Amino acid sequence: MNFCFRPIAPAMTQDSGSEVRYEPARLLSLVDSLLTELRPGSSVRSGLDSQFERDLGLDSLARVELLARVERDFQIRIPAEALGTATCPRDLLAEIQTLVPGAAPAGQDSAQLLAPEHAQGAQDTALTLLEVLDWHVARHPDRIHATFYCDENTTETLSYAQLAEAGARVAAALQGKGVVPGQCVALMLPSGLDFFRCFFGILMCGAVPVPMYPPARPAQVEDHLRRQAGILRNCEARVLVTFDAVRPIAGVLTGLAPDLCSVVVPAELNDDPVRPPPLGAEDLALIQYTSGSTGDPKGVMLSHANLLANIRAWGRAIGLGSTDVAVSWLPLYHDMGLIGAWLGSLYHASPLVLMSPLDFLSHPERWLWAVHRHRGTVTAAPNFAFDLCVKRLADQTFEGMDLSSWRLAANGAEPVNADTLARFASCFAPYGLRPEILAPVYGLAECSVGLAVPPPGRGVRIDWAQGGSVMLNGRAEPAASGDPGAMPFVCCGPPLPGHALRVVDDKGAVLAERCIGSLEFRGPSATRGYYRNPALTATLMHDDWLITGDYAYLADGELYITGRQKDLIIRGGRNFYPYDMEYAIGGIAGVRKGCVAVFGVTDAPGTEERLVVVAETREQGAAARHELAQHIVGVAVAQLGLPPDDVVLVPPHSVLKTSSGKIRRTEMREAYLRGRLGVTTRAPWLQVVRLYAAGLSRRVRRSVGHLMRWLYGAWVWLCFGLIAPLAALAIWVLPTLEARWAVVHRLARGFRVLTACSLTVTGTEHLPTTPAVLVANHASYADGLLLGAALRRPVRFVAKAEFKESWLMRSLFERMGACFVTRSDVRQGVEDTQVLSGLARAMPPLLFFAEGTFSARAGLMDFRLGAFQVALQNALPVVPLVIAGTRQVLPDGSWRPRRGPLSVTVCPPILPAGESWHDLLVLRDAARAAVLQHCGEPDRAMR
């Protein structure tokens, strides 16, 4: 694998110890030459301690270019991490001093790996992602699922078995931190295998993963963390999993998100594996927050059924199988990288080769070399990635590169530019890339990820439409490609199997083909709405169709996107979208490409929109800025036929973008109207101070609340410590069970009063006065105490035999008439049932906790059969007792009591109908149904 470098001798010296020392002057010369190109005529010069961003105005892309030049001139290979860690030339110099000149780039050997062996993908019967993983572990546990490039030279792999084991350990650690099923856990991790382990660990403890992205630049830390705090507040995440570099900053979020209790790193999540709680197809598998290009981020609820339906449909549409190899650098917080690349590969048993986005941005060729080396077949990326490859790599030669294995390159997540794909195909055709592999696709988070894709191998299809007809009549009338004013629209293909598309007008009427209107869809991948936001969810639905927010038209059943509804600009009686104009203006010298926002503003209701262009530039001189603005006006006139009403030139980083690089036009419009465009960003330390101050009141309230909860818990245990010895003394001293129970009953009611927990007891008229079997649900260690306070007459508890191991517990339980049973030994369990059957014929009645155990997770579990067999054998009525509130007052795994309402409901007795096995099951089901009706918890039966 050979890279061609410019043959310039490196400026360096070598000491007696053979240590390479690079001259600082050479590095500063490279920095200054780049500054001169970026800002002609500027007198700014660099020093070793000049901050790249603050002092020199070099953004991330400019620093990428600087590192590329340093690599060429010094003939070294700089780690991609230097983009984030080197904040000034001195930092960069210290980094490169450790590198050896002339070192060959990683992967110089052009040898290719063997294609993966065939393996069976998950069956369509899998209902959850956990079942998919179990399927693979059972059949090929050691098959490599993912290979991650830690750096250019180092990879680490993860098999299916390793993923399952690591996930179970993460799940146990999260449970230890108080995470319970149904809660959200936020993931702010970079690309890597830790993300995979933690994602499945969250699922394995029954919680819901919420991917988030870390701050992109220190200069925007305040805006970023405020947006992330909004996500945390909406999803009420209890735990945030992040990494060491972000952890100190992420601590700020605990003040802005009141439910966030803990910020941890993956290394802290390693405990003895646990068994995952049961999950269903409709349980949430993920909350995917939209990027917010048209407004605030919204939490799209995606169930296991949604994700698996999309993965299966996408796999059928492109023929994905276990011999495919997916190569991706897409961030895992984005749906295309998370679902399209990773979970799709997981399901179909196709190996995934992953690298970090930073690796791609710093060295785009690594993406291509990974396709070559691993015989990659499928990839996906936004349009800018293909454009970046052409701009950065077109003048280089890559000897030995072979891209002939590449069969699908999906282009999506942002508007697709046909010219970009044509240039990409031409640039890399000498390396075996076939133009027909390029596939513009369409999807959205509300449909999990993908919604439309062209047939594989067809290539890019362009539909030329008459511009006048599009802008004036809303119809895409066909035109020849060479016609003046013809507008190109890229075909995104038909909808995925099992999904449907339609285009409607403003009144909801379905439009004919080639009529532009609002795009709607339906199918099994469709979300059921936005998390904890019913108002926004209502705006998403139209009958049983979901509104995409895009304008489009259909032709021959295939999809052509024309633009976002909120981006539509109405000017001079014509409708147009900003994308082509932004692209054209970005090509003007002096304007930062990709940093242009075009939008419309209305000064008053009923007035025509004014056209505004905001463009980032580093130009400082008044004359140069005036000339640049005039050039922008000329390009706008050429594009639209009308000049913009206002051209605003702003400094770098003023154009707001989402995590996936889309222009946040809604927020740009608001900033323009408030006069906040181009406002100088505060220093990062000041932003952090402001964030701490913003969350201070919440922190104080949270601390006071925590203190009060701690004091309450201490008070409860103090009361228990005073009452428990009195109860034990009465149990040992008093001669009869009735007397003992009467004292315990009064002490338990007094304890309830002291702890200020309300108690409601209903249905006491159903309590038996003759032999009967009582069955109760089991939610907490506090259940026995609650029943002692609720029941005036004694009952005999059926307790687990483990209590007999403690002399104290055994003696107390026996004095209260308890009966012990063995749960794990089947033979002993049968004998215990026979003993209980004999005891049941006498008073007081036997009370069974029919679930046999309890957990912190809410829900009524299956009932064991022993109680109902005893009732059937003796023709005794079954009286259901329903306990409510104890799970919240004293959750399993926590010894800190909480205040809350308690209730006990006594249901009418149920008489056995016969003596057969069927009659036993009928009796059990009737009793369980009565408990389920009153307990206020979901059904967790595994039937």
Side-chain angles (χ1 to χ4, degrees):
M1 189 179 296
N2 298 317
F3 293 82
C4 294
F5 297 101
R6 198 187 317 167
I8 298 178
M12 59 186 181
T13 60
Q14 195 166 3
D15 59 24
S16 57
S18 300
E19 181 183 0
V20 176
R21 306 296 298 173
Y22 293 93
E23 296 294 338
R26 181 61 175 170
L27 175 61
L28 295 178
S29 176
L30 288 174
V31 177
D32 290 340
S33 66
L34 179 61
L35 290 172
T36 301
E37 294 179 20
L38 293 173
R39 294 193 294 274
S42 172
S43 59
V44 175
R45 291 294 179 267
S46 63
L48 283 177
D49 296 310
S50 300
Q51 296 294 304
F52 285 133
E53 189 158 1
R54 185 190 65 196
D55 301 329
L56 305 179
L58 299 181
D59 63 5
S60 56
L61 291 179
R63 295 198 297 275
V64 166
E65 177 62 25
L66 174 62
L67 263 62
R69 296 186 183 194
V70 171
E71 286 185 335
R72 289 197 301 266
D73 290 354
F74 286 12
Q75 296 186 22
I76 56 177
R77 198 67 164 177
I78 302 176
E81 290 74 16
L83 274 174
T85 58
T87 61
C88 61
R90 187 182 301 278
D91 293 342
L92 183 56
L93 184 65
E95 179 73 40
I96 65 179
Q97 296 286 19
T98 65
L99 305 176
V100 178
Q108 183 163 352
D109 180 4
S110 61
Q112 297 172 319
L113 300 176
L114 295 175
E117 295 181 356
H118 174 77
Q120 188 175 6
Q123 285 189 334
D124 288 348
T125 55
L127 299 180
T128 68
L129 293 174
L130 295 185
E131 290 184 20
V132 169
L133 181 57
D134 289 343
W135 166 272
H136 292 302
V137 171
R139 285 155 183 81
H140 36 251
D142 297 327
R143 182 179 175 87
I144 298 302
H145 160 51
T147 299
F148 177 65
Y149 276 85
C150 307
D151 56 41
E152 200 172 10
N153 299 302
T154 309
T155 63
E156 61 174 329
T157 60
L158 187 68
S159 70
Y160 289 104
Q162 290 170 335
L163 176 58
E165 181 182 1
R169 292 184 176 278
V170 170
L174 289 174
Q175 288 182 349
K177 293 187 176 296
V179 176
V180 300
Q183 284 186 332
C184 293
V185 175
L187 270 179
M188 188 186 283
L189 290 175
S191 294
L193 302 186
D194 275 342
F195 186 101
F196 299 163
R197 300 180 184 108
C198 292
F199 185 95
F200 264 93
I202 295 169
L203 290 179
M204 286 180 177
C205 72
V208 182
V210 180
M212 301 168 64
Y213 66 102
R217 292 191 297 270
Q220 293 184 348
V221 65
E222 181 177 3
D223 174 69
H224 172 84
L225 289 184
R226 285 189 185 275
R227 290 168 64 83
Q228 301 310 298
I231 292 175
L232 290 171
R233 286 194 298 270
N234 178 252
C235 73
E236 298 180 326
R238 180 182 179 87
V239 174
L240 169 65
V241 183
T242 187
F243 57 108
D244 290 327
V246 175
R247 188 177 190 177
I249 303 175
V252 177
L253 296 172
T254 58
L256 299 175
D259 295 290
L260 186 64
C261 299
S262 181
V263 179
V264 298
V265 296
E268 299 171 349
L269 301 176
N270 186 19
D271 211 335
D272 292 335
V274 297
R275 182 179 179 182
L279 293 176
E282 297 306 321
D283 286 331
L284 285 181
L286 166 69
I287 298 179
Q288 179 71 50
Y289 277 83
T290 61
S291 57
S293 61
T294 58
D296 292 332
K298 302 177 286 290
V300 178
M301 296 185 290
L302 297 174
S303 67
H304 290 269
N306 294 147
L307 295 181
L308 291 177
N310 199 266
I311 289 168
R312 288 163 178 151
W314 176 264
R316 288 195 295 271
I318 67 170
L320 191 64
S322 61
T323 56
D324 279 302
V325 177
V327 179
S328 178
W329 54 266
L330 295 170
L332 294 172
Y333 56 74
H334 192 271
D335 52 9
M336 186 183 283
L338 174 64
I339 306 170
W342 175 40
L343 294 179
S345 298
L346 176 82
Y347 182 90
H348 293 285
S350 52
L352 172 67
V353 178
L354 182 69
M355 62 184 65
S356 80
L358 200 60
D359 282 339
F360 168 75
L361 291 174
S362 60
H363 299 98
E365 68 275 9
R366 293 184 185 176
W367 184 35
L368 307 181
W369 278 118
V371 171
H372 159 89
R373 178 166 176 74
H374 295 271
R375 309 306 295 142
T377 60
V378 293
T379 65
N383 190 82
F384 91 87
F386 297 93
D387 189 55
L388 182 65
C389 285
V390 174
K391 289 191 298 185
R392 290 281 304 278
L393 308 177
D395 60 348
Q396 298 188 37
T397 301
F398 304 102
E399 295 180 9
M401 180 179 285
D402 177 13
L403 303 179
S404 61
S405 64
W406 209 347
R407 71 174 187 86
L408 180 75
N411 182 332
E414 64 184 27
V416 178
N417 187 283
D419 180 61
T420 296
L421 293 181
R423 290 186 293 112
F424 183 86
S426 174
C427 182
F428 298 103
Y431 305 104
L433 184 137
R434 294 165 286 122
E436 60 267 24
I437 74 166
L438 299 173
V441 299
Y442 173 76
L444 66 165
E446 288 78 359
C447 189
S448 298
V449 57
L451 181 54
V453 58
R458 189 178 74 180
V460 182
R461 175 179 289 181
I462 306 297
D463 184 42
W464 291 89
Q466 298 175 15
S469 178
V470 169
M471 290 189 288
L472 294 174
N473 305 321
R475 284 188 56 83
E477 298 290 354
S481 61
D483 286 355
M487 300 176 64
F489 294 102
V490 178
C491 180
C492 295
L496 293 178
H499 297 69
L501 300 173
R502 73 175 185 180
V503 176
V504 302
D505 62 16
D506 294 339
K507 298 180 180 179
V510 179
L511 296 173
E513 286 203 337
R514 292 198 165 274
C515 290
I516 298 173
S518 175
L519 178 66
E520 299 179 350
F521 77 97
R522 64 183 178 187
S525 303
T527 178
R528 62 175 178 260
Y530 299 117
Y531 189 67
R532 298 182 63 240
N533 201 331
L536 272 179
T537 298
T539 66
L540 177 66
M541 307 297 178
H542 178 200
D543 299 329
D544 59 341
W545 295 77
L546 274 72
I547 302 169
T548 65
D550 287 315
Y551 280 129
Y553 67 91
L554 298 173
D556 297 325
E558 301 199 18
L559 177 64
Y560 296 83
I561 299 294
T562 60
R564 294 288 296 168
Q565 290 181 13
K566 292 186 177 181
D567 294 340
L568 176 67
I569 301 172
I570 303 175
R571 187 71 168 83
R574 288 179 284 180
N575 301 340
F576 74 98
Y577 303 93
Y579 320 118
D580 290 339
M581 185 180 295
E582 289 172 347
Y583 184 81
I585 293 173
I588 299 174
V591 174
R592 298 186 68 232
K593 192 172 183 65
C595 300
V596 179
V598 176
F599 50 86
V601 296
T602 304
D603 295 324
T607 61
E608 186 175 69
E609 280 190 305
R610 293 190 300 116
L611 178 63
V612 178
V613 176
V614 179
E616 290 186 6
T617 182
R618 292 188 175 88
E619 295 289 356
Q620 301 294 325
R625 290 174 67 88
H626 177 75
E627 182 180 352
L628 182 58
Q630 291 300 110
H631 197 171
I632 290 173
V633 171
V635 170
V637 170
Q639 281 281 328
L640 182 62
L642 292 172
D645 296 281
D646 195 5
V647 175
V648 184
L649 301 179
V650 293
H653 313 313
S654 298
V655 174
L656 303 176
K657 297 183 180 181
T658 71
S659 61
S660 56
K662 300 176 184 176
I663 304 296
R664 287 156 53 186
R665 296 182 185 84
T666 299
E667 295 180 57
M668 289 297 298
R669 182 185 297 110
E670 294 173 357
Y672 172 82
L673 293 173
R674 295 197 312 266
R676 297 286 297 174
L677 285 177
V679 175
T680 303
T681 306
R682 299 178 180 88
W685 69 267
L686 182 58
Q687 296 181 49
V688 173
V689 170
R690 282 170 53 86
L691 287 170
Y692 269 110
L696 184 59
S697 61
R698 287 193 180 96
R699 288 174 181 271
V700 171
R701 290 196 300 270
R702 185 174 177 178
S703 298
V704 171
H706 180 75
L707 176 61
M708 297 303 294
R709 289 190 295 271
W710 185 89
L711 290 174
Y712 175 80
W715 167 252
V716 171
W717 282 113
L718 175 63
C719 294
F720 184 80
L722 294 174
I723 289 176
L726 297 177
L729 181 62
I731 292 171
W732 279 321
V733 171
L734 295 176
T736 65
L737 176 60
E738 288 73 13
R740 298 169 203 148
W741 187 272
V743 172
V744 169
H745 172 71
R746 291 186 179 90
L747 289 174
R749 292 186 73 86
F751 179 69
R752 195 275 306 168
V753 173
L754 289 173
T755 56
C757 289
S758 63
L759 172 60
T760 303
V761 182
T762 57
T764 54
E765 68 274 12
H766 301 306
L767 287 172
T769 56
T770 58
V773 173
L774 308 181
V775 292
N777 58 311
H778 204 9
S780 167
Y781 285 113
D783 290 343
L785 189 60
L786 174 60
L787 290 176
L791 304 179
R792 295 180 181 275
R793 294 191 297 271
V795 297
R796 287 189 290 180
F797 290 94
V798 178
K800 58 185 179 181
E802 287 88 333
F803 283 122
K804 296 173 67 175
E805 297 175 2
S806 166
W807 173 86
L808 176 63
M809 298 301 294
R810 184 180 71 249
S811 62
L812 290 174
F813 272 60
E814 287 176 344
R815 293 282 292 174
M816 291 300 290
C819 308
F820 298 99
V821 296
T822 302
R823 298 182 298 176
S824 57
D825 189 328
V826 175
R827 180 177 300 175
Q828 183 62 44
V830 172
E831 296 177 1
D832 289 339
T833 302
Q834 294 172 350
V835 173
L836 292 174
S837 181
L839 295 174
R841 291 190 287 269
M843 290 292 285
L846 288 177
L847 187 147
F848 292 78
F849 288 111
E851 293 170 281
T853 187
F854 61 87
S855 68
R857 184 185 182 189
L860 188 67
M861 295 184 289
D862 279 315
F863 277 9
R864 296 171 179 263
L865 297 176
F868 307 100
Q869 185 177 1
V870 169
L872 214 65
Q873 289 175 349
N874 295 277
L876 297 176
V878 172
V879 179
L881 298 181
V882 187
I883 296 170
T886 54
R887 197 188 307 275
Q888 290 72 40
V889 167
L890 188 64
D892 184 33
S894 171
W895 294 104
R896 182 176 64 81
R898 298 158 173 80
R899 183 182 175 186
L902 302 169
S903 70
V904 174
T905 302
V906 185
C907 299
I910 304 171
L911 296 175
E915 299 180 357
S916 69
W917 173 257
H918 174 73
D919 295 324
L920 184 147
L921 297 181
V922 168
L923 185 62
R924 178 202 61 181
D925 293 344
R928 190 175 181 280
V931 174
L932 187 62
Q933 181 181 0
H934 296 284
C935 70
E937 296 192 354
D939 190 349
R940 284 179 57 191
M942 298 185 64
R943 304 181 204 170

